[in-house]
Amino acid sequence: MTAVKPVDPALAARVPPGQTLTTKWPVLTYGTTPRLNPGTWTFRCFGLVEEEVSWTWAEFSKLPTTTVTCDIHCVTRWSRLDNRFEGVPIREIVKRVRVKPEAKYVLVHADPDYTTNLPLEELLDEDVLLAVRHDGKPLEPEHGGPLRLVVPKLYFWKSAKWLRAFEFLEVNPPGFWEQNGYHMHADPWGEERYSDQETNAMQKMRAEAARKLRDR
Ligand SMILES: Nc1nc2c(c(=O)[nH]1)N[C@H]1C(S)=C(S)[C@@H](COP(=O)(O)O)O[C@H]1N2
Ligand SMILES: [Mo]
């Protein structure tokens, strides 16, 4: 008889449907790993903001930081529990740029040519971090070092590695994976994996927003 390791029910309750646990941390990158050039790197906030801000690496490194322990869920069906991310909490960013009330969505820009979209309300969640460290060590380049976004409540493709900018918008244009068959919202607990699961209203909104952005 083979011994089956029982699953701790407290842990099982933290694993969304269709996911399995891993203790390793897989690397999922479309394309190559960019390297930091501290001389030219900037992190920029633009679009519907009172104050357009661009931080150099030296300036960004002086922002206040905090620690968030969270679970992460990749749409390729692995989940990793209790990740200790350290970085700049989202509130430290938005209070410096003062987002205009018309802004409802954010297009996240990252190297190399990666984008992802999400509602502003979800970017402003307490557990959202611009992370520079993971489990006590600087973020490895493969995992988005020097700076990545961490949005624990959504599938991990929304957590852009090599983060470079937030663009605050009235509309919700699809980002890279969202244009390639993945869901606009991406809630792991609702298994919002693919674009064909989107409501008609959401599909209409994605088409209109994409058109608006192309024509501007
Ligand atoms: N810039 C950038 N960010 C990215 C990606 C990418 O290819 N480029 N992949 C996304 C996907 S699909 C996932 S699952 C996570 C993977 O992060 P990890 O490689 O640290 O596990 O990063 C996301 N952020
Ligand atoms: Mo992913």
Side-chain angles (χ1 to χ4, degrees):
M1 273 245 284
T2 48
V4 177
K5 221 168 112 197
V7 181
D8 178 346
L11 290 187
R14 288 163 63 184
V15 184
Q19 298 291 112
T20 48
L21 284 183
T22 176
T23 49
K24 293 207 194 86
W25 190 9
V27 171
L28 273 113
T29 301
Y30 186 85
T32 53
T33 297
R35 298 289 152 159
L36 168 70
N37 181 341
T40 56
W41 186 96
T42 55
F43 174 69
R44 203 156 78 86
C45 287
F46 66 106
L48 297 172
V49 292
E50 299 293 349
E51 200 75 51
E52 191 172 316
V53 182
S54 178
W55 287 272
T56 64
W57 181 245
E59 290 162 349
F60 191 87
S61 305
K62 291 190 192 116
L63 294 176
T65 60
T66 189
T67 300
V68 168
T69 300
C70 62
D71 303 338
I72 58 182
H73 311 291
C74 175
V75 74
T76 61
R77 299 183 183 273
W78 56 266
S79 292
R80 189 179 190 278
L81 304 184
D82 294 321
N83 298 272
R84 195 157 54 84
F85 285 105
E86 287 169 63
V88 179
I90 189 67
R91 63 174 175 275
E92 294 292 344
I93 300 297
V94 289
K95 77 179 183 200
R96 286 169 171 82
V97 301
R98 289 179 292 126
V99 178
K100 289 186 177 169
E102 309 91 270
K104 295 286 179 277
Y105 300 95
V106 180
L107 188 60
V108 177
H109 296 262
D111 288 328
D113 267 335
Y114 187 86
T115 51
T116 188
N117 57 293
L118 73 168
L120 174 62
E121 203 183 320
E122 284 174 272
L123 184 75
L124 298 183
D125 266 354
E126 271 302 299
D127 56 0
V128 170
L129 209 61
L130 284 67
V132 293
R133 297 173 70 80
H134 177 268
D135 286 354
K137 287 181 297 218
L139 206 52
E140 302 276 356
E142 291 70 25
H143 288 299
L147 180 69
R148 82 172 300 157
L149 182 62
V150 176
V151 185
K153 288 198 184 76
L154 300 176
Y155 279 126
F156 210 37
W157 86 76
K158 300 281 184 182
S159 294
K161 305 193 277 191
W162 314 295
L163 179 65
R164 295 298 301 277
F166 289 148
E167 181 177 5
F168 296 89
L169 295 164
E170 241 173 327
V171 294
N172 190 18
F176 174 73
W177 282 118
E178 294 82 2
Q179 286 169 46
N180 286 282
Y182 288 87
H183 201 282
M184 291 289 273
H185 183 224
D187 172 12
W189 296 96
E191 283 209 80
E192 293 173 342
R193 298 176 186 275
Y194 309 113
S195 46
D196 60 11
Q197 297 171 277
E198 289 166 12
T199 60
N200 287 341
M202 212 178 245
Q203 292 194 346
K204 204 173 150 214
M205 184 167 71
R206 72 148 62 217
E208 275 167 13
R211 197 174 330 111
K212 232 177 228 169
L213 220 61
R214 249 195 328 268
D215 295 347
R216 70 183 173 179

XYZ file of all heavy atoms in Angstrom, residues 43-120:
646
model
N 10.572 54.614 -13.529
C 9.204 54.144 -13.307
C 8.309 55.369 -13.402
O 8.529 56.375 -12.734
C 9.031 53.450 -11.955
C 7.590 53.122 -11.704
C 6.963 52.148 -12.454
C 6.855 53.831 -10.761
C 5.609 51.871 -12.275
C 5.507 53.555 -10.573
C 4.886 52.573 -11.331
N 7.278 55.288 -14.273
C 6.509 56.449 -14.672
C 5.016 56.228 -14.413
O 4.506 55.123 -14.628
C 6.724 56.613 -16.176
C 6.495 57.983 -16.747
C 7.288 58.124 -18.058
N 6.620 57.452 -19.164
C 5.669 58.019 -19.915
N 5.253 59.241 -19.674
N 5.121 57.353 -20.911
N 4.344 57.286 -13.950
C 2.894 57.271 -13.836
C 2.351 58.361 -14.729
O 2.723 59.530 -14.572
C 2.452 57.505 -12.399
S 2.754 56.079 -11.350
N 1.475 57.987 -15.668
C 0.954 58.973 -16.610
C -0.503 58.667 -16.956
O -1.085 57.721 -16.435
C 1.850 59.058 -17.858
C 1.869 57.816 -18.725
C 1.206 57.799 -19.939
C 2.567 56.679 -18.332
C 1.236 56.676 -20.769
C 2.588 55.538 -19.140
C 1.921 55.545 -20.364
N -1.071 59.523 -17.808
C -2.493 59.381 -18.138
C -3.309 60.305 -17.249
O -2.933 61.464 -17.054
N -4.405 59.787 -16.674
C -5.322 60.611 -15.886
C -4.814 60.809 -14.455
O -5.330 60.226 -13.508
C -6.709 59.970 -15.895
C -7.361 59.878 -17.283
C -8.638 59.043 -17.223
C -7.655 61.271 -17.840
N -3.764 61.654 -14.340
C -3.187 61.979 -13.027
C -3.013 63.493 -12.918
O -2.849 64.172 -13.933
C -1.813 61.292 -12.812
C -1.959 59.782 -12.690
C -0.834 61.646 -13.922
N -3.067 64.020 -11.694
C -2.826 65.454 -11.489
C -1.358 65.773 -11.705
O -0.999 66.842 -12.176
C -3.223 65.867 -10.058
C -4.685 65.654 -9.685
C -5.650 66.551 -10.442
O -5.196 67.500 -11.110
O -6.879 66.265 -10.380
N -0.518 64.809 -11.325
C 0.929 65.040 -11.316
C 1.589 63.873 -12.035
O 1.611 62.771 -11.514
C 1.381 65.041 -9.843
C 2.688 65.690 -9.554
C 2.587 67.208 -9.608
O 1.683 67.765 -8.941
O 3.407 67.794 -10.311
N 2.075 64.094 -13.258
C 2.797 63.015 -13.933
C 4.169 62.875 -13.263
O 4.877 63.859 -13.109
C 2.946 63.326 -15.424
C 3.457 62.111 -16.173
C 3.447 62.274 -17.691
O 2.455 62.774 -18.237
O 4.458 61.883 -18.296
N 4.497 61.655 -12.814
C 5.754 61.461 -12.086
C 6.591 60.393 -12.771
O 6.078 59.396 -13.275
C 5.489 61.047 -10.615
C 6.811 60.897 -9.853
C 4.610 62.057 -9.903
N 7.907 60.654 -12.800
C 8.852 59.670 -13.315
C 10.001 59.559 -12.317
O 10.668 60.549 -12.044
C 9.348 60.142 -14.687
O 10.302 59.240 -15.185
N 10.166 58.370 -11.728
C 11.227 58.149 -10.756
C 12.433 57.489 -11.430
O 12.251 56.557 -12.219
C 10.764 57.204 -9.657
C 9.785 57.750 -8.667
C 10.080 58.413 -7.507
C 8.349 57.653 -8.689
N 8.921 58.730 -6.821
C 7.846 58.278 -7.524
C 7.433 57.100 -9.597
C 6.490 58.361 -7.238
C 6.069 57.185 -9.315
C 5.613 57.813 -8.153
N 13.634 57.939 -11.118
C 14.836 57.197 -11.519
C 14.995 56.039 -10.532
O 14.309 55.984 -9.502
C 16.094 58.078 -11.439
O 16.296 58.431 -10.063
C 15.947 59.333 -12.290
N 15.911 55.132 -10.809
C 16.131 54.008 -9.891
C 16.578 54.514 -8.521
O 16.115 54.034 -7.480
C 17.125 52.999 -10.476
C 17.325 51.840 -9.554
C 18.473 51.495 -8.907
C 16.326 50.881 -9.129
N 18.256 50.394 -8.109
C 16.954 50.004 -8.232
C 14.964 50.718 -9.431
C 16.257 48.952 -7.624
C 14.274 49.673 -8.815
C 14.917 48.805 -7.934
N 17.452 55.533 -8.509
C 17.941 56.091 -7.237
C 16.782 56.700 -6.439
O 16.694 56.507 -5.220
C 19.022 57.131 -7.506
N 15.896 57.396 -7.123
C 14.747 58.022 -6.445
C 13.755 56.964 -5.956
O 13.269 57.030 -4.828
C 14.028 58.988 -7.408
C 14.825 60.237 -7.715
C 14.334 60.974 -8.971
O 13.512 60.431 -9.747
O 14.792 62.105 -9.172
N 13.481 55.996 -6.810
C 12.504 54.967 -6.455
C 12.964 54.174 -5.239
O 12.161 53.817 -4.367
C 12.255 54.030 -7.645
C 11.079 53.126 -7.432
C 9.795 53.540 -7.757
C 11.245 51.870 -6.863
C 8.697 52.722 -7.525
C 10.160 51.048 -6.633
C 8.884 51.476 -6.965
N 14.274 53.949 -5.165
C 14.852 53.165 -4.063
C 14.683 53.827 -2.707
O 14.869 53.178 -1.676
C 16.343 52.929 -4.302
O 16.514 52.329 -5.566
N 14.361 55.116 -2.694
C 14.191 55.832 -1.416
C 12.742 55.827 -0.926
O 12.470 56.313 0.171
C 14.662 57.282 -1.575
C 16.176 57.390 -1.749
C 16.638 58.833 -1.664
C 18.081 58.957 -2.128
N 18.189 59.793 -3.346
N 11.815 55.298 -1.710
C 10.405 55.280 -1.278
C 10.220 54.304 -0.113
O 10.927 53.299 -0.020
C 9.500 54.894 -2.453
C 9.421 55.884 -3.619
C 8.566 55.316 -4.755
C 8.865 57.224 -3.160
N 9.257 54.607 0.769
C 9.003 53.724 1.919
C 8.554 52.335 1.463
O 7.834 52.216 0.467
C 7.859 54.421 2.664
C 7.715 55.767 2.072
C 8.368 55.757 0.732
N 8.967 51.326 2.190
C 8.608 49.948 1.812
C 7.856 49.245 2.936
O 7.856 49.695 4.085
C 9.864 49.115 1.466
O 10.715 49.082 2.602
C 10.600 49.690 0.272
N 7.233 48.145 2.571
C 6.531 47.320 3.537
C 6.642 45.858 3.102
O 7.174 45.564 2.035
C 5.055 47.774 3.655
O 4.463 47.095 4.754
C 4.271 47.446 2.407
N 6.137 44.948 3.940
C 6.184 43.517 3.614
C 4.761 42.976 3.515
O 3.917 43.311 4.349
C 6.953 42.756 4.717
O 8.271 43.289 4.779
C 7.049 41.267 4.402
N 4.520 42.162 2.501
C 3.218 41.505 2.324
C 3.463 40.014 2.143
O 4.278 39.613 1.313
C 2.473 42.069 1.090
C 1.270 41.208 0.725
C 2.034 43.503 1.331
N 2.790 39.192 2.937
C 2.872 37.740 2.733
C 1.590 37.306 2.041
O 0.489 37.588 2.523
C 3.060 37.026 4.078
O 4.282 37.503 4.656
C 3.163 35.515 3.877
N 1.740 36.649 0.892
C 0.560 36.342 0.080
C 0.741 35.044 -0.703
O 1.844 34.535 -0.861
C 0.272 37.484 -0.886
S 1.610 37.775 -2.052
N -0.388 34.543 -1.213
C -0.393 33.361 -2.080
C -0.478 33.833 -3.530
O -1.160 34.813 -3.811
C -1.596 32.481 -1.752
C -1.610 32.061 -0.291
O -0.540 32.084 0.352
O -2.700 31.720 0.221
N 0.211 33.120 -4.426
C 0.149 33.492 -5.841
C -0.371 32.317 -6.670
O -0.101 31.153 -6.356
C 1.519 33.996 -6.357
C 2.625 32.948 -6.171
C 1.884 35.308 -5.678
C 4.006 33.425 -6.618
N -1.133 32.644 -7.725
C -1.835 31.629 -8.510
C -1.617 31.879 -10.000
O -2.056 32.905 -10.526
C -3.332 31.686 -8.206
C -3.639 31.704 -6.741
N -3.417 30.620 -5.921
C -4.112 32.695 -5.932
C -3.767 30.924 -4.671
N -4.188 32.179 -4.660
N -0.932 30.967 -10.658
C -0.678 31.107 -12.091
C -1.757 30.370 -12.871
O -2.183 29.285 -12.478
C 0.698 30.559 -12.446
S 1.021 30.574 -14.213
N -2.167 30.938 -13.989
C -3.219 30.340 -14.817
C -2.776 28.987 -15.393
O -3.608 28.171 -15.766
C -3.672 31.342 -15.914
C -2.627 31.451 -17.012
C -5.030 30.973 -16.484
N -1.458 28.721 -15.420
C -0.968 27.407 -15.860
C -1.122 26.361 -14.746
O -0.588 25.262 -14.843
C 0.494 27.466 -16.334
O 1.318 27.886 -15.247
C 0.664 28.417 -17.497
N -1.848 26.711 -13.686
C -2.372 25.802 -12.665
C -1.451 25.500 -11.491
O -1.688 24.582 -10.726
C -2.920 24.494 -13.286
C -4.063 24.773 -14.257
C -4.677 23.528 -14.843
N -5.718 23.872 -15.818
C -6.998 24.104 -15.503
N -7.392 23.991 -14.248
N -7.865 24.443 -16.424
N -0.389 26.322 -11.299
C 0.340 26.178 -10.038
C 0.027 27.350 -9.114
O -0.228 28.469 -9.565
C 1.856 26.049 -10.239
C 2.533 27.161 -10.997
C 2.797 27.203 -12.339
C 3.033 28.412 -10.467
N 3.417 28.383 -12.676
C 3.578 29.142 -11.554
C 3.071 28.986 -9.194
C 4.163 30.409 -11.391
C 3.655 30.249 -9.043
C 4.182 30.927 -10.136
N 0.014 27.020 -7.816
C -0.132 28.050 -6.786
C 0.998 27.894 -5.797
O 1.452 26.779 -5.522
C -1.463 27.891 -6.045
O -2.546 28.192 -6.902
N 1.494 29.006 -5.280
C 2.572 28.973 -4.299
C 2.137 29.809 -3.092
O 1.813 30.993 -3.248
C 3.863 29.512 -4.912
C 5.076 29.321 -4.048
C 6.320 29.860 -4.754
N 7.528 29.479 -4.043
C 8.012 30.118 -2.984
N 7.371 31.173 -2.498
N 9.118 29.701 -2.399
N 2.135 29.187 -1.912
C 1.626 29.859 -0.710
C 2.736 30.602 0.033
O 3.914 30.263 -0.081
C 0.993 28.824 0.235
C -0.133 27.956 -0.351
C -0.719 27.044 0.741
C -1.226 28.799 -0.979
N 2.320 31.592 0.821
C 3.202 32.284 1.765
C 4.468 32.862 1.142
O 5.578 32.584 1.586
C 3.588 31.340 2.915
C 2.391 30.972 3.772
O 1.548 31.864 4.017
O 2.296 29.807 4.189
N 4.281 33.669 0.116
C 5.401 34.412 -0.468
C 5.569 35.707 0.305
O 4.600 36.465 0.454
C 5.107 34.742 -1.934
C 4.941 33.489 -2.749
O 5.915 32.959 -3.260
N 3.715 32.987 -2.848
N 6.778 35.960 0.762
C 7.013 37.205 1.502
C 7.652 38.231 0.556
O 8.835 38.154 0.253
C 7.909 36.942 2.713
C 7.897 38.087 3.720
C 8.307 37.609 5.106
N 9.586 36.907 5.082
C 10.765 37.511 5.125
N 10.839 38.827 5.208
N 11.881 36.808 5.094
N 6.802 39.130 0.059
C 7.294 40.175 -0.846
C 7.545 41.456 -0.056
O 6.764 41.815 0.819
C 6.273 40.470 -1.937
C 6.196 39.411 -3.013
C 5.134 38.519 -3.049
C 7.188 39.312 -3.976
C 5.059 37.545 -4.042
C 7.124 38.343 -4.972
C 6.053 37.457 -4.999
N 8.645 42.129 -0.379
C 8.911 43.451 0.187
C 8.986 44.450 -0.950
O 9.546 44.147 -2.011
C 10.271 43.468 0.905
C 10.317 42.731 2.221
C 11.755 42.598 2.697
O 12.403 43.637 2.954
O 12.229 41.444 2.776
N 8.427 45.629 -0.696
C 8.462 46.651 -1.727
C 7.623 47.849 -1.349
O 7.223 48.007 -0.197
N 7.353 48.684 -2.338
C 6.636 49.935 -2.125
C 5.134 49.654 -2.237
O 4.674 49.161 -3.263
C 7.074 50.976 -3.185
C 6.316 52.279 -2.997
C 8.586 51.202 -3.124
N 4.367 49.946 -1.163
C 2.918 49.725 -1.255
C 2.293 50.714 -2.241
O 2.757 51.838 -2.381
C 2.423 49.970 0.170
C 3.490 50.744 0.857
C 4.780 50.475 0.149
N 1.239 50.283 -2.889
C 0.613 51.080 -3.949
C 0.198 52.462 -3.446
O 0.267 53.450 -4.192
C -0.571 50.307 -4.584
C -1.097 51.020 -5.834
C -1.690 50.039 -3.605
C -0.135 51.047 -6.991
N -0.223 52.572 -2.176
C -0.692 53.888 -1.673
C 0.426 54.935 -1.717
O 0.164 56.125 -1.893
C -1.259 53.762 -0.247
C -0.256 53.328 0.783
C -0.777 53.344 2.222
N 0.246 52.790 3.103
C 0.408 51.500 3.332
N -0.397 50.624 2.770
N 1.384 51.071 4.113
N 1.688 54.501 -1.561
C 2.817 55.449 -1.610
C 2.989 56.017 -3.014
O 3.504 57.118 -3.191
C 4.110 54.766 -1.173
C 4.130 54.331 0.289
C 4.141 55.507 1.260
O 4.433 56.643 0.843
O 3.827 55.275 2.452
N 2.567 55.256 -4.014
C 2.653 55.721 -5.401
C 1.501 56.685 -5.694
O 1.722 57.808 -6.141
C 2.608 54.514 -6.379
C 3.773 53.555 -6.115
C 2.579 54.984 -7.840
C 5.149 54.134 -6.342
N 0.265 56.223 -5.410
C -0.898 57.026 -5.834
C -0.999 58.352 -5.087
O -1.489 59.334 -5.649
C -2.237 56.246 -5.760
C -2.290 55.191 -6.845
C -2.469 55.638 -4.400
N -0.503 58.401 -3.845
C -0.604 59.693 -3.154
C 0.356 60.721 -3.767
O 0.119 61.915 -3.659
C -0.396 59.539 -1.648
C 1.025 59.349 -1.171
C 1.031 59.248 0.358
C 2.432 59.140 0.904
N 2.449 58.582 2.269
N 1.385 60.244 -4.436
C 2.321 61.166 -5.081
C 1.873 61.627 -6.463
O 2.308 62.666 -6.942
C 3.710 60.525 -5.162
C 4.404 60.503 -3.801
C 5.649 59.639 -3.808
N 6.418 59.787 -2.580
C 6.145 59.144 -1.438
N 5.098 58.328 -1.360
N 6.896 59.337 -0.375
N 1.020 60.853 -7.116
C 0.574 61.246 -8.464
C -0.843 61.824 -8.469
O -1.216 62.525 -9.392
C 0.645 60.076 -9.482
C 2.061 59.560 -9.590
C -0.304 58.959 -9.126
N -1.599 61.535 -7.432
C -2.984 62.013 -7.322
C -3.781 61.688 -8.588
O -3.885 62.483 -9.522
C -3.023 63.511 -6.984
C -2.576 63.754 -5.532
C -2.577 65.216 -5.174
N -1.533 65.935 -5.898
C -1.731 67.018 -6.654
N -2.941 67.521 -6.773
N -0.725 67.598 -7.277
N -4.331 60.495 -8.580
C -5.102 59.983 -9.716
C -6.400 60.778 -9.859
O -7.067 61.069 -8.860
C -5.399 58.488 -9.494
C -6.231 57.928 -10.630
C -4.088 57.706 -9.347
N -6.728 61.158 -11.089
C -7.967 61.910 -11.335
C -9.190 61.006 -11.154
O -9.119 59.803 -11.423
C -7.966 62.474 -12.757
C -6.975 63.602 -12.947
C -7.101 64.223 -14.328
C -6.155 65.400 -14.456
N -6.052 65.860 -15.857
N -10.313 61.608 -10.727
C -11.516 60.796 -10.484
C -12.032 60.068 -11.735
O -12.687 59.034 -11.619
C -12.552 61.803 -9.969
C -11.966 63.151 -10.150
C -10.493 63.010 -10.325
N -11.722 60.581 -12.937
C -12.179 59.910 -14.175
C -11.471 58.586 -14.411
O -11.936 57.752 -15.184
C -11.923 60.778 -15.420
C -12.433 62.188 -15.348
C -11.379 63.148 -14.807
O -11.353 63.311 -13.565
O -10.603 63.707 -15.590
N -10.318 58.394 -13.789
C -9.549 57.161 -14.017
C -10.273 55.978 -13.391
O -10.642 56.018 -12.217
C -8.149 57.305 -13.427
N -10.487 54.941 -14.201
C -11.192 53.754 -13.702
C -10.363 52.477 -13.905
O -10.626 51.463 -13.265
C -12.542 53.593 -14.430
C -13.542 54.721 -14.153
C -14.151 54.615 -12.759
C -15.128 55.736 -12.462
N -14.469 56.991 -12.010
N -9.397 52.539 -14.821
C -8.602 51.351 -15.148
C -7.131 51.735 -15.246
O -6.790 52.909 -15.395
C -9.054 50.747 -16.479
C -10.501 50.336 -16.456
C -11.493 51.194 -16.939
C -10.876 49.111 -15.914
C -12.835 50.823 -16.886
C -12.211 48.739 -15.860
C -13.183 49.597 -16.349
O -14.498 49.238 -16.285
N -6.276 50.716 -15.175
C -4.838 50.953 -15.302
C -4.262 49.977 -16.320
O -4.538 48.772 -16.263
C -4.123 50.760 -13.943
C -2.636 51.006 -14.085
C -4.710 51.694 -12.903
N -3.514 50.543 -17.274
C -2.741 49.701 -18.176
C -1.315 49.692 -17.621
O -0.683 50.740 -17.489
C -2.788 50.234 -19.608
C -2.180 49.324 -20.665
C -2.891 47.962 -20.722
C -2.221 49.977 -22.052
N -0.862 48.507 -17.256
C 0.466 48.342 -16.653
C 1.455 48.088 -17.784
O 1.217 47.226 -18.633
C 0.443 47.141 -15.677
C 1.812 46.896 -15.079
C -0.605 47.354 -14.584
N 2.532 48.855 -17.812
C 3.561 48.694 -18.846
C 4.818 48.098 -18.222
O 5.245 48.523 -17.152
C 3.920 50.043 -19.467
C 2.790 50.694 -20.204
N 2.650 50.619 -21.565
C 1.732 51.424 -19.762
C 1.556 51.287 -21.939
N 0.986 51.788 -20.862
N 5.421 47.135 -18.918
C 6.618 46.488 -18.387
C 7.557 46.136 -19.533
O 7.155 46.098 -20.703
C 6.232 45.230 -17.621
N 8.803 45.870 -19.180
C 9.776 45.387 -20.166
C 9.528 43.919 -20.398
O 9.045 43.223 -19.510
C 11.195 45.606 -19.634
C 11.584 47.076 -19.649
O 11.113 47.800 -20.538
O 12.364 47.485 -18.773
N 9.919 43.320 -21.478
C 10.158 43.973 -22.776
C 8.855 43.982 -23.576
O 8.461 42.950 -24.081
C 11.198 43.060 -23.426
C 11.017 41.706 -22.735
C 10.169 41.883 -21.518
N 8.190 45.152 -23.591
C 6.941 45.314 -24.345
C 5.786 44.488 -23.801
O 5.008 43.917 -24.572
C 7.143 44.912 -25.820
C 7.497 46.113 -26.656
O 7.126 47.228 -26.258
O 8.156 45.919 -27.694
N 5.705 44.359 -22.492
C 4.623 43.594 -21.866
C 3.612 44.576 -21.297
O 3.986 45.599 -20.736
C 5.197 42.736 -20.748
C 4.231 41.759 -20.107
C 4.030 40.513 -20.648
C 3.551 42.092 -18.933
C 3.168 39.593 -20.050
C 2.686 41.195 -18.332
C 2.504 39.942 -18.892
O 1.654 39.037 -18.302
N 2.330 44.257 -21.451
C 1.290 45.076 -20.835
C 0.251 44.162 -20.199
O 0.083 43.004 -20.597
C 0.558 45.958 -21.879
O 0.140 45.137 -22.963
C 1.435 47.090 -22.392
N -0.441 44.691 -19.208
C -1.588 43.985 -18.641
C -2.520 45.029 -18.049
O -2.081 46.104 -17.646
C -1.166 42.899 -17.637
O -2.317 42.126 -17.271
C -0.532 43.476 -16.376
N -3.822 44.729 -18.047
C -4.823 45.714 -17.633
C -5.575 45.247 -16.402
O -5.758 44.041 -16.206
C -5.813 45.949 -18.776
C -6.491 44.667 -19.226
O -5.847 43.775 -19.771
N -7.784 44.559 -18.977
N -5.987 46.206 -15.582
C -6.833 45.868 -14.441
C -7.613 47.083 -13.960
O -7.232 48.218 -14.257
C -6.047 45.209 -13.301
C -5.097 46.002 -12.423
C -4.692 45.180 -11.217
C -3.858 46.408 -13.170
N -8.733 46.839 -13.230
C -9.489 47.961 -12.682
C -8.649 48.692 -11.639
O -7.932 48.054 -10.858
C -10.697 47.301 -12.015
C -10.779 45.929 -12.588
C -9.379 45.550 -12.938
N -8.740 50.021 -11.623
C -7.994 50.821 -10.648
C -8.296 50.359 -9.226
O -7.398 50.242 -8.397
C -8.368 52.308 -10.822
C -7.788 53.277 -9.806
C -6.265 53.283 -9.853
C -8.334 54.686 -10.022
